[in-house]
Amino acid sequence: MSMPTPLRVLHEGRWFPAEEVAKGAAYELFADERLPGFLPNPRPGARHRFRRFVHATDVLAATGIEVHHPAEQPLRMPVSRSLDWAGLHRLSQQPAAASELLAAIRSSAAVRRGTRMMKVLSPRQLLACLHGWLPSGFCYREYDVAHLRTPADLGVLRGDGADPGDVVFALRWRAVDARDYTVPSADTHPGLVDMPPRDRIGPPIIGSGFAPADRHLIPEFVTADLADLPLTANASLLAYTADGTEVTLYTYLAEQHTWTRMWGPQWRDLLAGVTGNFPGDQEYFPVPPGITRFVGTYRGRLYDAIADPPDDFRLAAKVRAARYPVESVARRTVYAHWRGVRCTVVRNEAGWLRVRPCHPDAEAIEQLGAQCVERGVYEAWAPAAEVVDAREVDVEYPLDLGHSAGP
């Protein structure tokens, strides 16, 4: 039986040995000499001394073993003599660009059920995730950032604008439905685009739907109403090192509401800067129940649910025999008004509510006395007695009910 032919890809006029990254969203190229853009290969005993990560759309051809076709749709740009890729990048970096062509190109990057999403984290946010912080605000499709593997490349996506240093962290989860995400444009979030520098942290929101970046074209998303999203099963907390290595630090066990440690002692130094007393040897981090959660119906009754997209939606139960498929599923989020501003409620503590404006602008954050906690996200503590019209809102997700719900 013949051995499969190793994968080789054509990039910038030259063929390289390669491996797929993120299910075909990017490629890891190998070389025996240090070429432009290549870094030392950190793998012990590696056949090739140097490597580089490139996006799948930058590869002109691939041969060898069966190549995966990414499930996500790339940006689509019409052929034009007047607008090349460099011109498109320049247009994407213009404040609140109103080009119909740019909007059409941006709309070609869409979220579907099962899309792997990513949010780049600061060390403080990594620790907050382990203690119950949920994804919200600005995020990205893994497909669009799979080739960004070093802190220098990923640091631009951090929400605090700080120097990423030698390691950058990220949260990865899978989308349940496209309605949980919107494009941060001048039309959908004018208040964020016009926010004065004194009232924001991190890079400005351009309003074109693309992240501010000097080399890359990265479509941005924000969670709908800037609300929290419940964690999906098997979400991951990751670290990226200066040599481009991806390390899975923790994996989320949805039935146990727990983050479980995946990293070994060789990666201990990655977490040295998280906090002075970070419990690095702790195997499990129990996550307290969140205000925002998945709920589902089974035989006409409502229960907490677990989402494991694209196909698995079930009752939240530690016993495997009780994990029946739900008949319907929704994201339950608490909305309220405080001082005339519509907000989501993200925490409830001893008569105080932590509220987050759904569409912040300079007037709203001044009225609430809200603070910018990360790029585009503002929060304030409100006395529960002053908050009005608080109610739970269920965002229903359509399900394929072709399966049997339970025994």
Side-chain angles (χ1 to χ4, degrees):
M1 183 174 63
S2 61
M3 296 294 292
T5 306
L7 176 64
R8 296 176 64 84
V9 301
L10 178 61
H11 177 67
E12 295 181 346
R14 181 170 176 176
W15 288 93
F16 294 93
E19 291 183 4
E20 288 185 331
V21 175
K23 299 183 178 180
Y27 290 98
E28 182 180 5
L29 313 185
F30 301 102
D32 295 321
E33 56 182 323
R34 186 156 194 169
L35 302 173
F38 280 72
L39 297 171
N41 189 345
R43 292 189 176 93
R47 291 182 55 190
H48 305 282
R49 296 173 54 201
F50 300 95
R51 68 176 182 177
R52 179 185 181 184
F53 296 91
V54 299
H55 197 268
T57 54
D58 292 330
V59 168
L60 297 180
T63 64
I65 63 174
E66 182 179 356
V67 178
H68 290 97
H69 295 285
E72 308 305 330
Q73 179 175 297
L75 287 171
R76 294 185 176 179
M77 175 182 171
V79 176
S80 171
R81 293 182 178 180
S82 60
L83 183 64
D84 58 10
W85 192 255
L88 173 60
H89 181 270
R90 289 192 298 270
L91 186 61
S92 75
Q93 301 301 295
Q94 296 177 9
S99 166
E100 291 184 5
L101 174 61
L102 184 66
I105 295 170
R106 175 60 186 83
S107 66
S108 66
V111 173
R112 61 177 184 86
R113 177 160 296 169
T115 294
R116 283 158 52 121
M117 305 296 295
M118 292 190 65
K119 183 178 179 70
V120 180
L121 308 174
S122 67
R124 176 187 62 82
Q125 290 173 320
L126 173 73
L127 187 60
C129 281
L130 293 173
H131 291 92
W133 181 87
L134 298 175
S136 64
F138 280 77
C139 53
Y140 307 87
R141 298 190 305 175
E142 182 192 45
Y143 176 83
D144 297 313
V145 298
H147 60 303
L148 306 180
R149 299 277 296 216
T150 66
D153 284 335
L154 284 167
V156 69
L157 305 182
R158 268 181 55 166
D160 59 359
D163 184 352
D166 296 328
V167 60
V168 71
F169 304 106
L171 171 65
R172 182 169 62 203
W173 71 97
R174 282 168 295 162
V176 175
D177 197 274
R179 70 193 67 192
D180 285 339
Y181 304 89
T182 60
V183 176
S185 69
D187 293 328
T188 60
H189 294 81
L192 292 181
V193 175
D194 296 334
M195 194 71 69
R198 68 177 183 275
D199 292 331
R200 67 173 189 245
I201 59 176
I205 289 86
I206 299 175
S208 64
F210 292 92
D214 57 1
R215 291 188 297 121
H216 304 288
L217 193 66
I218 306 171
E220 290 190 308
F221 298 87
V222 291
T223 57
D225 290 333
L226 297 171
D228 283 349
L229 299 180
L231 282 172
T232 52
N234 302 310
S236 300
L237 288 168
L238 312 167
Y240 292 90
T241 66
D243 60 18
T245 300
E246 178 187 285
V247 181
T248 300
L249 300 175
Y250 299 90
T251 295
Y252 182 63
L253 305 179
E255 281 83 7
Q256 290 76 25
H257 296 286
T258 300
W259 288 103
T260 182
R261 193 182 77 173
M262 304 296 291
W263 54 277
Q266 73 272 29
W267 302 115
R268 190 181 302 272
D269 291 344
L270 296 180
L271 297 161
V274 173
T275 182
N277 58 354
F278 179 74
D281 294 330
Q282 187 168 329
E283 294 287 341
Y284 301 98
F285 286 84
V287 177
I291 291 179
T292 297
R293 65 191 193 278
F294 292 119
V295 294
T297 57
Y298 175 70
R299 293 183 175 175
R301 298 184 62 181
L302 192 67
Y303 300 90
D304 284 342
I306 287 173
D308 192 2
D311 301 317
D312 192 5
F313 299 87
R314 58 187 184 268
L315 299 184
K318 293 185 178 180
V319 180
R320 184 176 297 275
R323 298 172 188 170
Y324 303 135
V326 296
E327 297 156 355
S328 66
V329 68
R331 167 172 57 88
R332 175 164 288 182
T333 302
V334 177
Y335 285 83
H337 284 82
W338 185 44
R339 298 179 179 175
V341 178
R342 186 170 183 259
C343 306
T344 59
V345 177
V346 294
R347 287 204 299 281
N348 183 353
E349 296 183 9
W352 290 81
L353 301 179
R354 186 72 168 175
V355 297
R356 181 184 299 157
C358 298
H359 294 277
D361 55 28
E363 181 180 354
I365 65 170
E366 181 179 1
Q367 192 165 337
L368 302 183
Q371 298 295 317
C372 187
V373 297
E374 64 176 74
R375 180 171 178 249
V377 177
Y378 297 78
E379 294 179 358
W381 284 106
E386 295 183 9
V387 173
V388 298
D389 196 25
R391 66 193 188 282
E392 294 178 330
V393 176
D394 290 350
V395 178
E396 299 280 348
Y397 302 123
L399 289 183
D400 178 7
L401 299 180
H403 60 262
S404 173

